[in-house]
Amino acid sequence: MSATPVVTMIGGGQLARMTHQASIALGQTLRVLAHAADEPAAQVTPDVVLGSHTDLDDLRRAAKDATVVTFDHEHVPTAFLETLQDEGINVQPPPSALIYAQDKTFMRRKLRDIGAPVPGFADIRTVSDVERFAAETGSQVVLKAVRGGYDGRGVWITDSLDEARTVAAEQLAAGVELLAEERVDMRRELSAMVARSPFGQGAAWPVVETVQRDGICAVVIAPAPELPEELALQAEGLALRIASELGVTGCLAVELFETNDGRLLVNELAMRPHNSGHWSMDGARTGQFEQHLRAVLDYPLGSTEPLAPVTVMANVLGARETPAMSLDERMHHLMGRIPEAKVHLYGKGERPGRKLGHVNIQGRVDGSLADPQYVAEVRERAERAAHWLSHAVWTDGWEGH
């Protein structure tokens, strides 16, 4: 075994790419199992194993002599991970925890069993099950694929019983396992990001507000503005408790609904670095990627203290029509106009709606989260920067170069 840690990350996407960046500073090697050499992490990591996360032999090759195996997505078959464990491989988070991020039915039942607040839900085996659930909770039903959904895929928010029936019939006929959830009367979506080590140490970042567009996270405001301290502490405590009760190690994102009557409900879990934690790369003492490495290696965890009263992250999403101006030239103009913008690009080709990168903007240190104008100004700059990188158009109409 190497004198310095070798961390194997299953998946070669942008989360693995940014984990590699963190591993360099810590003197570690990040090995990735990637499908292709042009995936975001495979472009930058010298230790790449090409293969599939659904092939046990490929997983074994990636795990060989690694200090720990971890993930940039949750889609590795549970039985394969259990086999790796049986063969002496250190898997973090363990498959006994990861299953709750892979299977929404298991997740909902477990959260209900430990007393965590969740929306009403039901297994859907037939269209009649949808009709029964709608009769109990109302005609606006949310249908979800039990496995595999992400970034709005595998989620159907229906406005009528007829629409719910149609979606259920189509998906069940296609062999998709379905879960129904009640439509939540929510004020907004929040995310509570925490990390936990095998030793049991936990750390929580401030709770953030997430803004979704077309099912994809577009903006994150950290910390969440206008969130009562009692509710913020409740969310952080809930996320730490879920991490402990489920045996999670590494980063855990607990996506939450804040209801209009002031309650919190758990929406989703992600057991890895998460889009809602990207702000921490530039806005916290310890970013989520470094923290994930520290956690899965069972090192002491880092400080999650924010570095500014507010940091806003905006995703750079592929435009409907790719601009004629190159992305590099767009970067040049952005740096000239908004020099404080911290840009993180993922090495992906441009296509509509694709996550190409993100921009972080820290607010002035003399500002206040309680000042709506201050928060709005930071958010506007982050969104303007991200929109420019996506579209080569300034949202404020500026046309200078």
Side-chain angles (χ1 to χ4, degrees):
M1 187 167 295
S2 171
T4 56
V6 175
V7 177
T8 289
M9 186 165 258
I10 307 303
Q14 64 259 27
L15 301 180
R17 182 186 178 104
M18 290 181 278
T19 305
H20 168 65
Q21 293 174 243
S23 75
I24 295 170
L26 298 178
Q28 301 165 2
T29 297
L30 189 83
R31 178 186 301 153
V32 299
L33 177 64
H35 285 285
D38 63 351
E39 289 190 353
Q43 295 173 20
V44 297
T45 308
D47 194 348
V48 179
V49 175
L50 294 179
S52 171
H53 63 272
T54 59
D55 185 300
L56 180 57
D57 287 334
D58 289 346
L59 291 167
R60 284 186 174 122
R61 286 193 297 121
K64 182 177 172 58
D65 295 331
T67 314
V68 64
V69 171
T70 189
F71 311 93
D72 98 332
H73 62 74
E74 293 98 345
H75 306 311
V76 185
T78 306
F80 289 175
L81 296 178
E82 291 171 342
T83 298
L84 293 181
Q85 275 193 320
D86 291 343
E87 295 172 356
I89 303 298
N90 180 17
V91 179
Q92 304 290 347
S96 57
L98 195 66
I99 186 66
Y100 298 112
Q102 295 174 321
D103 188 300
K104 290 181 172 59
T105 300
F106 285 172
M107 183 257 292
R108 282 279 175 255
R109 288 175 180 162
K110 180 66 172 180
L111 292 178
R112 181 184 61 191
D113 290 347
I114 67 172
V118 295
F121 68 94
D123 292 324
I124 301 300
R125 312 271 186 205
T126 66
V127 174
S128 298
D129 292 336
V130 175
E131 294 168 345
R132 274 192 294 274
F133 185 74
E136 295 169 4
T137 63
S139 61
Q140 293 184 317
V141 173
V142 179
L143 293 171
K144 293 184 176 181
V146 169
R147 284 178 172 264
Y150 186 63
D151 276 348
R153 294 186 294 273
V155 177
W156 299 270
I157 300 172
T158 65
D159 293 319
S160 67
L161 180 55
D162 282 345
E163 185 182 357
R165 281 194 194 103
T166 300
V167 170
E170 289 174 352
Q171 297 305 316
L172 291 169
V176 177
E177 288 184 77
L178 287 180
L179 180 78
E181 294 182 359
E182 65 176 322
R183 185 95 165 256
V184 175
D185 181 22
M186 67 171 177
R187 178 189 176 202
R188 58 180 170 176
E189 293 188 58
L190 304 172
S191 179
M193 280 287 301
V194 299
R196 181 176 176 273
S197 68
F199 178 75
Q201 184 187 8
W205 286 273
V207 177
V208 303
E209 177 178 350
T210 63
V211 180
Q212 316 291 320
R213 294 192 188 121
D214 299 323
I216 299 175
C217 178
V219 178
V220 172
I221 307 168
E226 299 178 11
L227 182 65
E229 184 179 3
E230 180 182 345
L231 214 55
L233 291 173
Q234 182 184 330
E236 289 179 22
L238 174 63
L240 288 168
R241 183 165 73 87
I242 289 171
S244 178
E245 295 261 10
L246 273 55
V248 178
T249 50
C251 283
L252 169 70
V254 179
E255 297 180 65
L256 300 160
F257 296 131
E258 180 188 359
T259 67
N260 281 318
D261 58 3
R263 294 175 298 130
L264 296 174
L265 297 173
V266 179
N267 178 26
E268 301 281 359
L269 302 179
M271 295 180 194
R272 51 175 169 74
H274 188 256
N275 205 161
S276 65
H278 288 351
W279 71 274
S280 66
M281 297 174 75
D282 303 298
R285 295 275 176 212
T286 309
Q288 66 167 343
F289 298 100
E290 176 185 337
Q291 193 82 299
H292 186 74
L293 288 167
R294 291 166 75 142
V296 298
L297 287 164
D298 215 7
Y299 291 0
L301 301 182
S303 166
T304 53
E305 178 188 7
L307 299 176
V310 69
T311 299
V312 176
M313 182 226 72
N315 272 331
V316 179
L317 303 173
R320 187 168 295 169
E321 293 186 15
T322 300
M325 184 187 296
S326 73
L327 186 53
D328 183 60
E329 188 176 353
R330 282 172 258 161
M331 279 281 288
H332 181 101
H333 291 302
L334 174 63
M335 289 174 173
R337 185 148 193 240
I338 310 180
E340 76 273 24
K342 302 295 287 185
V343 180
H344 302 269
L345 295 179
Y346 305 154
K348 293 180 175 181
E350 295 182 67
R351 67 169 185 245
R354 193 181 201 189
K355 288 180 182 176
L356 306 176
H358 68 271
V359 178
N360 288 331
I361 299 272
Q362 278 188 35
R364 301 183 322 275
V365 294
D366 61 348
S368 169
L369 184 66
D371 178 356
Q373 183 176 348
Y374 165 78
V375 174
E377 286 173 354
V378 181
R379 176 175 175 177
E380 186 278 330
R381 289 176 80 76
E383 292 199 71
R384 180 172 12 130
H387 190 275
W388 165 258
L389 288 175
S390 296
H391 300 273
V393 173
W394 293 109
T395 52
D396 61 356
W398 194 71
E399 294 183 358
H401 291 298

